[in-house]
Amino acid sequence: MSGATTRNGEADIPAFRQVMGHPGPLWMLFMAEFWERFAFYGIRWALVLYIVAQFHGGDAGGQGAANLTYGSFLALVYAGALFGGYIADRVLGYQRSILIGAVFMASGLFAMAIPDPDVFKFGLATIIVGNGLFKPNISTMVGKLYGLSDPRRDSGFTIFYMGINIGALIAPVLTQLLAQKVFGSDAMPDYKIVFITAGIGMLISLFWFAVGRRTLKGIGAPAPEAMSYWRIAQVTLGALLTIPVAYFLLAVGAQRLQVVLTVLFIGLAVMLMIEGVKGGKVTRDKVIAMLIIFSFNILFWMFFEQAGSSFTFLANDIVNRDLGGFIFPTAWFQSVNSVAIIALAPLLALLWIVMAKRNINPSIPRKFGLGLIGNALAFGLLIYALSNLVGLDNKIPFWTLFMVYVIQSVGELCLSPIGLSMVTKLAPTRLVGLGMGGWFLSTGIGNNLSGIFASHVSGESGLSVASALSGYTFGFWSLLGAGVLLFLIAPLINKLMHGVK
């Protein structure tokens, strides 16, 4: 099929071959994102454990510092999307931005395998820069495959989100086996193999997209005035010069970084509002609605991202992982979320379509409210376990943390893929990439706060039953209150969205 195009409100959409009811390029983007997420989640379980073991001599007192580094790293990974989206929108185009980002991410992952604290942080900084160019732009391109009124749009983003989670499922299992069974032991994991394996995964993502991008039929390609290779050189040089900046922001501490992120968020909001005002009342109102949702997104990720920080120490030290003689690896808890997403995402995607046909599909704000309440219920289970189920060994049952990840996953499915789709619908047409960057920046702010919160939960001597109970109780009430509030103000937000579903 070729030639004919349809309007999506932004640009002409080529007539793609349909595969399983969706445009063919969706599946290419699915696999490119699969390998990128394989790389990212391959190191996620190991980061805080490696920092404590390698740079703090295994002392539990290093947990607080590890949590802060983890939160700051994630925050900058997502904040970098703000600049990557702008570069793709205005300078380089989406396809080339993705390719350059993949090269930087692979380089950073391989650098992390060198056991030196400064090189390790420079590796993290390189990943931050590369991810900023990669992550928002591949998500934006998914939206460009569909018309704004296409009922398959949310379903397409949910399928794309499954690619993220299949990669996130396989990566911790494989890298843990390599680090603790093949090249190392449970007592002395070989963490460098984790980073090397992740780097190889990122190279596969790079190759997959480089070969498959021709199926996009020009979507995401540079504008005619941006075809010059000189622009590629400029962006590459700018990315290289940004690495020391990212390294500095990692080093200044999470509290100071929070100030920087807040200033960035305010600046982004101003830019989007200016564009919204220029576009008229409807465009302005849509931007306001989007920014309100961004604020609730911050709170969701502040507590959700305990999964890679305080929950890791909880799993390692306070959860009974003995399953009849088999010790469930701490790393594998990182895959529980992905198993739940893979199992539930098709059902939820189908549910949204069925409810839409019957005109009872929850609005975007109410889906977000469900996400927050789902996250709250997970913390409620932890409160119960830490209050009533602590055994003589001072540990809680395995099933409790397992189910915490499952319940969080349901909340995530109500929020995260819907958020990606929301941005492509509400952001001003000329700044969709910047709007996607704003989505990831709000996620990044939440991640930085997650590190600060996790550091507080761990305290100076490491995570304990008492400190976990106190911190997670705060998380429960914060999430529940926000979810209820969002349900109450949903009609106001819907009015600002002017019919966007």
Side-chain angles (χ1 to χ4, degrees):
M1 299 175 65
S2 62
T5 60
T6 57
R7 295 292 299 175
N8 74 343
E10 299 172 16
D12 289 333
I13 302 178
F16 294 116
R17 182 171 66 92
Q18 301 298 298
V19 179
M20 297 177 65
H22 288 272
L26 172 68
W27 305 100
M28 183 277 293
L29 296 173
F30 174 102
M31 287 304 301
E33 182 71 352
F34 163 87
W35 283 111
E36 186 271 332
R37 289 292 90 181
F38 173 92
F40 187 82
Y41 282 92
I43 68 171
R44 185 175 184 240
W45 71 270
L47 272 178
V48 292
L49 297 175
Y50 174 68
I51 292 170
V52 171
Q54 184 69 37
F55 305 131
H56 294 274
D59 184 358
Q63 290 182 10
N67 286 330
L68 290 172
T69 299
Y70 174 80
S72 296
F73 166 65
L74 283 188
L76 289 169
V77 159
Y78 285 103
L82 172 63
F83 301 102
Y86 183 83
I87 287 170
D89 276 334
R90 297 297 183 89
V91 181
L92 201 58
Y94 297 95
Q95 292 187 18
R96 289 180 172 182
S97 296
I98 290 169
L99 291 170
I100 293 174
V103 171
F104 274 84
M105 289 181 70
S107 301
L109 288 162
F110 288 122
M112 288 172 63
I114 300 172
D116 176 271
D118 291 326
V119 176
F120 177 79
K121 285 188 177 179
F122 267 105
L124 293 177
T126 305
I127 295 170
I128 289 165
V129 172
N131 193 272
L133 290 167
F134 187 104
K135 183 66 176 173
N137 297 318
I138 198 166
S139 300
T140 299
M141 290 180 67
V142 173
K144 291 182 177 292
L145 301 178
Y146 299 90
L148 289 177
S149 60
D150 193 329
R152 303 172 301 165
R153 193 181 184 90
D154 282 359
S155 176
F157 270 100
T158 302
I159 291 170
F160 178 72
Y161 206 64
M162 284 183 66
I164 293 174
N165 285 281
I166 294 174
L169 162 64
I170 296 172
V173 175
L174 178 60
T175 54
Q176 180 272 329
L177 290 173
L178 291 173
Q180 295 184 315
K181 303 300 181 183
V182 179
F183 294 95
S185 65
D186 291 340
M188 296 187 64
D190 187 353
Y191 288 109
K192 70 176 180 293
I193 200 66
V194 174
F195 307 133
I196 291 171
T197 304
I200 293 171
M202 197 63 234
L203 288 179
I204 296 174
S205 176
L206 170 63
F207 176 78
W208 193 277
F209 184 80
V211 172
R213 61 181 175 145
R214 66 179 182 273
T215 65
L216 293 164
K217 297 184 178 180
I219 286 184
E225 66 273 13
M227 291 294 293
S228 169
Y229 286 105
W230 172 237
R231 290 204 178 194
I232 297 177
Q234 287 178 308
V235 170
T236 302
L237 177 61
L240 288 170
L241 294 175
T242 304
I243 292 174
V245 177
Y247 176 89
F248 171 76
L249 291 173
L250 279 173
V252 298
Q255 286 80 7
R256 292 178 180 175
L257 177 59
Q258 189 60 40
V259 175
V260 175
L261 294 173
T262 301
V263 170
L264 283 176
F265 187 77
I266 293 171
L268 171 134
V270 170
M271 291 178 67
L272 289 171
M273 280 302 302
I274 291 173
E275 187 70 19
V277 170
K278 289 180 180 177
K281 181 181 183 299
V282 172
T283 304
R284 180 203 64 196
D285 287 353
K286 287 181 178 180
V287 170
I288 293 172
M290 184 172 64
L291 293 175
I292 292 172
I293 295 294
F294 283 175
S295 300
F296 284 95
N297 188 53
I298 290 171
L299 189 68
F300 179 88
W301 293 105
M302 173 180 174
F303 295 106
F304 183 91
E305 266 306 331
Q306 298 308 300
S309 51
S310 72
F311 284 5
T312 297
F313 294 119
L314 184 76
N316 207 53
D317 302 329
I318 303 179
V319 172
N320 183 354
R321 296 181 284 112
D322 188 346
L323 304 179
F326 171 70
I327 306 301
F328 190 87
T330 298
W332 290 12
F333 277 105
Q334 300 298 320
S335 295
V336 175
N337 169 255
S338 301
V339 172
I341 294 291
I342 293 165
L344 298 173
L347 299 177
L348 208 57
L350 178 62
L351 178 63
W352 299 146
I353 292 176
V354 170
M355 294 179 75
K357 289 180 178 178
R358 297 182 179 182
N359 203 31
I360 56 173
N361 195 16
S363 65
I364 288 174
R366 291 220 159 121
K367 286 177 181 176
F368 269 71
L370 290 171
L372 288 160
I373 292 171
N375 203 355
L377 292 176
F379 279 85
L381 176 56
L382 277 179
I383 292 171
Y384 175 75
L386 292 165
S387 301
N388 300 283
L389 302 179
V390 178
L392 296 177
D393 56 359
N394 208 38
K395 295 186 177 182
I396 61 176
F398 166 84
W399 70 267
T400 56
L401 184 59
F402 185 94
M403 287 307 301
V404 163
Y405 278 98
V406 173
I407 296 169
Q408 278 195 321
S409 301
V410 176
E412 181 186 3
L413 275 172
C414 291
L415 181 144
S416 194
I418 306 304
L420 295 174
S421 179
M422 174 201 71
V423 172
T424 63
K425 296 174 185 177
L426 295 181
T429 302
R430 292 177 58 248
L431 294 180
V432 174
L434 185 63
M436 192 66 74
W439 166 257
F440 288 116
L441 176 59
S442 68
T443 302
I445 292 173
N447 288 333
N448 191 58
L449 291 172
S450 79
I452 295 172
F453 176 72
S455 179
H456 172 74
V457 171
S458 291
E460 295 182 359
S461 57
L463 192 72
S464 67
V465 171
S467 67
L469 178 59
S470 174
Y472 297 156
T473 299
F474 173 78
F476 169 76
W477 289 113
S478 299
L479 288 164
L480 184 63
V484 171
L485 175 62
L486 193 49
F487 258 80
L488 293 175
I489 66 173
L492 170 61
I493 299 175
N494 287 330
K495 184 176 181 182
L496 291 170
M497 292 168 65
H498 289 277
V500 169
K501 302 293 185 182

